[in-house]
């Protein structure tokens, strides 16, 4: 047996034990993980600060978000209705007789999670993918990100403490470090791996997705990849609020040096004097933003290369850059503009430049703006900025935007993702590999389960969620009606 075999055999053994845990037991484990992370806060935040260049307030906030995510999933599985229990009782008098059928969601088995470079806590070792997989009843193998390997190992240490105190199988969560194309690829290809969670580049996510589909038994890869998050700026609001919108968008474009998957990389509007004013204001705001260090040298190199490639495209015009020249590994905040006709002929403009960069696309008229929107690939978010009159007059644009992304935002910035039941952090390919799911919020658990129907089973043979007397007291669909009581 090689190392990967040992890891995955252990993950499988842990799954066989952990999947029998009740919602209350899993909730207790998730809360213990949150407590151990909280107890190690200072060390974790300081280590992440050294490894990622991210400032302490941001890291403290992200750590709180991470423990809140764990508690959100704890509450979800403790309440229990998430299993979507549905019961159709038998009818012997029907011709042919109708059998008793009962359905619920069950965990798929060991899940491999790839930590993201840009969220060392919330999308990494104990982040949303791990929390949702553990909530489902799956064991987890984490491939830590090399950009914050120490932080990842420390978070895993906190998880191990929770494993001991909660009495769950020793290998319910495992942690490996190493290269993605060797260690990561081997984990995805291993026959015992049942699902994969990933956040990162398009090339990384697509490579892992392809590997998973080439397996003898293909498995789902839920990869959150690239997105340029188009924003539509409508006319009336530009006339009334150009300066305020420019201020809030300059802040959003450069928040965390643009290292957010929801960064607004594309601003679309029909040409007008108000748009010209907006572009001038946005440029002035960007000039005032100080360059800062990016997460790691690789991301910095990739941003510099992407920015350079963008700015040499035919027809592009640089609007503004930070007035301060960037130092080593610092990103150069930049705004550019291009006419929609040129945008449409060059696919390069649709590529993500991961960092503090945004491109304004100036359209001749509304039809051209709709053409630009229609030419875009799947996105995580799309935003519309408009007055009530704007929105009433442009329902066709909003209808188009709804087909484009997992989240459509009105009069706000796309950076900032609430962790809640209604959140969709997903979207059509290539934003993700499967636009039917979200990687943020409680429904992220649905990625790690499959529905199973029990037909003809006696009551005492059924899982508690499907028993007649409803011992878990959960909401169920019984003979097509929502019910909480017993049958
Ligand atoms: P990444 O390069 O995709 O890496 C993420 C994880 O996937 C790492 O663990 C990496 O392993 C692994 N990996 C990458 N390519 C792989 C392959 N071909 N086969 C197997 N495993 C592979 O992402 P990153 O390091 O976070 O950032 C790199 C670029 O990704 C950025 O410059 C940016 O353009 C983009 N990015 C986008 C988002 C977004 O949300 N849209 C977020 C972060 C980054 P290693 O440890 O070997 O690197």
């Amino acid at each position: 047996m090689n190392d990967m075999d040992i890891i995955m055999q252990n993950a499988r053994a842990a799954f066989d034990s952990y999947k029998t845990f009740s919602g209350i037991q899993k909730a207790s484990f998730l809360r213990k993980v949150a407590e151990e992370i909280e107890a190690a806060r200072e060390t974790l935040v300081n280590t992440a600060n050294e490894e990622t260049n991210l400032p302490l307030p941001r890291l403290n906030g992200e750590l709180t978000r991470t423990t809140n995510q764990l508690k959100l999933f704890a509450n979800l599985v403790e309440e229990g209705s998430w299993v979507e229990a549905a019961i159709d009782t038998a009818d012997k008098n029907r011709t042919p007789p109708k059998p008793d059928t009962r359905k619920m969601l069950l965990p798929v088995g060991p899940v491999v999670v790839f930590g993201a470079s840009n969220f060392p806590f919330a999308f990494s070792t104990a982040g949303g993918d791990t929390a949702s997989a553990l909530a489902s009843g799956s064991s987890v193998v984490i491939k830590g990100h090399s950009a914050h390997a120490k932080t990842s190992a420390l978070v895993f240490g906190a998880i191990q403490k929770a494993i001991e105190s909660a009495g769950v199988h020793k290998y319910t969560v495992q942690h490996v470090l190493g290269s993605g194309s060797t260690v990561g690829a081997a984990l995805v290809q291993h026959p015992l791996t049942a699902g994969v969670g990933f956040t990162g580049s398009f090339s990384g996510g697509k490579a892992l997705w392809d590997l998973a589909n080439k397996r003898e038994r293909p498995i789902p890869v839920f990869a959150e990849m690239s997105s340029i998050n188009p924003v539509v700026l409508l006319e009336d609001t530009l006339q009334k609020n150009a300066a305020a919108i420019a201020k809030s968008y300059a802040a959003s474009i450069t928040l965390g040096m643009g290292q957010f998957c929801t960064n607004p990389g594309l601003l679309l509007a029909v040409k007008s004097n108000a748009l010209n004013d907006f572009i001038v204001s946005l440029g002035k705001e960007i000039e005032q933003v100080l360059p800062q260090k990016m997460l790691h040298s690789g991301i910095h190199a990739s941003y510099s290369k992407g920015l350079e490639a963008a700015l040499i495209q035919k027809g592009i015009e640089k609007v503004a850059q930070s007035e301060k020249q960037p130092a080593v590994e610092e990103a150069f905040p930049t705004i550019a503009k291009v006419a929609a006709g040129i945008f449409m002929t060059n696919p390069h403009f649709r590529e993500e430049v991961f960092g503090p960069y945004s491109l304004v696309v100036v359209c001749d008229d509304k039809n051209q703006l709709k053409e630009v929107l229609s030419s875009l690939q799947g996105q995580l978010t799309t935003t519309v900025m408009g007055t009530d009159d704007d929105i009433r007059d442009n329902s066709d644009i909003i209808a188009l935007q709804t087909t484009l992304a997992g989240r459509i935002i009105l009069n706000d910035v796309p950076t900032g993702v609430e962790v809640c039941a209604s959140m969709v952090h997903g979207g059509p390919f290539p934003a993700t590999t499967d636009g039917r799911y979200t990687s943020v919020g409680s429904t992220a658990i649905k990625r790690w389960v499959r529905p199973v129907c029990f037909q003809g089973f006696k009551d005492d043979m059924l899982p508690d969620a499907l028993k007649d007397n409803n011992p878990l007291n959960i909401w169920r669909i019984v003979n097509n009606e929502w019910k909480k009581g017993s049958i």
Side-chain angles (χ1 to χ4, degrees), residues 2-292:
N2 64 28
D3 287 355
M4 288 306 131
D5 278 330
I6 295 168
I7 290 168
M8 291 315 304
Q9 297 277 11
N10 286 338
R12 176 70 217 196
F15 173 56
D16 288 338
S17 159
Y18 185 62
K19 72 182 179 190
T20 66
F21 271 46
S22 69
I24 290 171
Q25 289 171 308
K26 286 188 290 183
S28 162
F29 173 47
L30 289 167
R31 290 193 186 109
K32 283 198 160 71
V33 175
E35 279 165 26
E36 293 297 346
I37 289 174
E38 188 56 59
R41 176 184 282 270
E42 205 179 328
T43 314
L44 289 175
V45 164
N46 287 335
T47 309
N49 174 247
E50 281 164 24
E51 285 190 304
T52 64
N53 299 319
L54 291 172
L56 289 172
R58 145 80 200 264
L59 288 166
N60 264 306
E62 193 187 323
L63 190 140
T64 302
R65 176 191 169 123
T66 307
T67 54
N68 283 343
Q69 276 177 174
L70 287 157
K71 290 176 204 162
L72 174 90
F73 284 109
N75 293 343
L76 183 81
V77 294
E78 192 168 56
E79 191 281 328
S81 302
W82 73 274
V83 297
E84 294 180 0
I87 296 173
D88 292 288
T89 50
D91 181 358
K92 287 182 189 143
N93 298 323
R94 198 190 72 174
T95 311
K98 181 174 172 291
D100 183 286
T101 50
R102 302 181 183 214
K103 182 209 78 172
M104 68 178 290
L105 301 175
L106 291 176
V108 290
V111 164
V112 170
V113 168
F114 286 77
S117 63
N118 56 341
F119 278 91
F121 298 124
F123 281 83
S124 284
T125 316
D129 286 349
T130 299
S132 56
L134 288 174
S136 79
S138 293
S139 55
V140 175
V141 178
I142 298 147
K143 156 47 184 115
H145 199 289
S146 40
H148 51 255
K150 281 187 206 157
T151 308
S152 191
L154 285 170
V155 173
F156 179 60
I159 298 174
Q160 277 182 310
K161 282 190 184 167
I163 285 176
E164 276 164 32
S165 62
V168 303
H169 190 288
K170 187 177 170 190
Y171 295 116
T172 302
V173 184
Q174 297 178 85
H175 182 246
V176 291
L177 290 168
S179 145
S181 42
T182 53
V183 171
L187 287 170
V188 172
Q189 287 171 304
H190 197 281
L192 292 177
T193 302
V196 178
F198 169 96
T199 301
S201 64
F202 175 75
S203 58
K206 178 73 165 44
L208 295 173
W209 192 44
D210 288 343
L211 281 180
N213 283 309
K214 282 187 198 134
R215 287 166 46 122
E216 198 174 311
R217 181 177 64 90
I219 52 167
V221 172
F222 298 99
E224 189 229 297
M225 304 178 290
S226 64
S227 185
I228 51 174
N229 306 298
V231 178
V232 176
L233 305 159
L234 295 172
E235 199 177 337
D236 191 37
T237 199
L238 277 182
Q239 271 172 17
K240 291 176 175 145
N241 310 308
I245 298 173
K247 198 173 182 62
S248 68
Y249 268 82
S252 175
I253 291 161
T254 57
L255 183 71
M257 279 294 101
Q259 298 165 112
F260 288 108
C261 41
T262 50
N263 191 54
L266 203 63
L267 308 177
L268 314 177
V270 173
K271 65 183 177 192
S272 69
N273 290 336
L275 175 61
N276 295 341
D277 293 345
F278 167 77
I279 293 171
V280 170
S281 300
L282 184 64
K284 282 186 183 152
E285 296 286 347
I286 289 292
E287 283 167 2
Q288 301 310 309
V289 179
L290 297 178
Q292 281 168 28

Side-chain angles (χ1 to χ4, degrees), residues 354-403:
F354 194 69
Y357 167 75
S358 194
L359 178 65
V360 182
V361 181
V362 182
C363 306
D364 287 339
D365 52 31
K366 182 172 160 179
N367 281 339
Q368 197 180 36
L369 192 149
K370 284 163 68 181
E371 276 172 39
V372 171
L373 274 178
S374 305
S375 76
L376 299 177
Q377 293 183 296
Q379 306 290 334
L380 291 173
T381 75
T382 182
T383 303
V384 58
M385 302 296 292
T387 60
D388 288 358
D389 286 345
D390 277 330
I391 303 302
R392 257 191 302 276
D393 295 346
N394 292 284
S395 56
D396 47 349
I397 288 181
I398 289 152
L400 244 178
Q401 286 182 279
T402 313
T403 64

